[in-house]
Amino acid sequence: MTLFAKPIVYLKTNCNLDFTDIASRLAPDTTPDSLEHDSENVYEWMWLNIEDVPFALNVSREHGWADLDDEVESTASLEELKALVKPGAVYMSGWERSTDSYINELPEWLAQFVVDRLQTDVIVYNGRINVEIPDSEPAFVVHPQPGNANNNAVNVSRR
């Protein structure tokens, strides 16, 4: 049964978890040492291998450090800096690493899987992601199931 009229192409969530926490929830076999994570001036990203997904999941976001003034960054403690940093939304798309190519369709169950593991709403998009322009109109929002973090039922609302 197909729940969505068009293929799911990418997911978005407003999750403030550290990337290592996101990785441990989505891919429990991933250890901090094995995590493929990188960053640059504005963005951070990681590659996750989710069980039963035949490609890597590219998880990326604006890390929030670029928004800090240099003076604040050079004088504040690490704890103060972490309190000031506000990371952006987390985006997830598929990537075939062996051919370095974008995956045009995510499995339908993946949105609910992410919701269940991160316990946050996940916005589902049908079009390709482009960081240069605002997101298009979402197809659906998938919500956490109250009281059941491991429920496989899909709780979807149209936007």
Side-chain angles (χ1 to χ4, degrees), residues 110-156:
L110 188 59
Q112 187 68 50
F113 173 83
V114 172
V115 166
D116 291 345
R117 296 296 175 96
L118 300 181
Q119 285 300 293
T120 186
D121 288 350
V122 170
I123 305 167
V124 177
Y125 292 91
N126 301 120
R128 295 265 314 248
I129 188 172
N130 182 341
V131 298
E132 302 294 323
I133 60 173
D135 295 318
S136 63
E137 186 67 27
F140 296 95
V141 178
V142 184
H143 307 284
Q145 297 289 315
N148 189 354
N150 293 316
N151 188 352
N152 290 326
V154 175
N155 183 15
V156 175

Side-chain angles (χ1 to χ4, degrees), residues 68-120:
L68 295 179
D69 291 332
D70 290 341
E71 184 178 323
V72 170
E73 194 170 351
S74 64
T75 59
S77 70
L78 184 57
E79 293 78 27
E80 291 170 325
L81 290 173
K82 285 183 179 182
L84 292 172
V85 170
K86 304 293 182 225
V90 176
Y91 289 87
M92 300 176 197
S93 59
W95 195 262
E96 178 56 56
R97 298 198 63 202
S98 65
T99 60
D100 201 26
S101 58
Y102 192 82
I103 299 296
N104 289 316
E105 186 172 351
L106 299 177
E108 285 187 0
W109 58 264
L110 188 59
Q112 187 68 50
F113 173 83
V114 172
V115 166
D116 291 345
R117 296 296 175 96
L118 300 181
Q119 285 300 293
T120 186

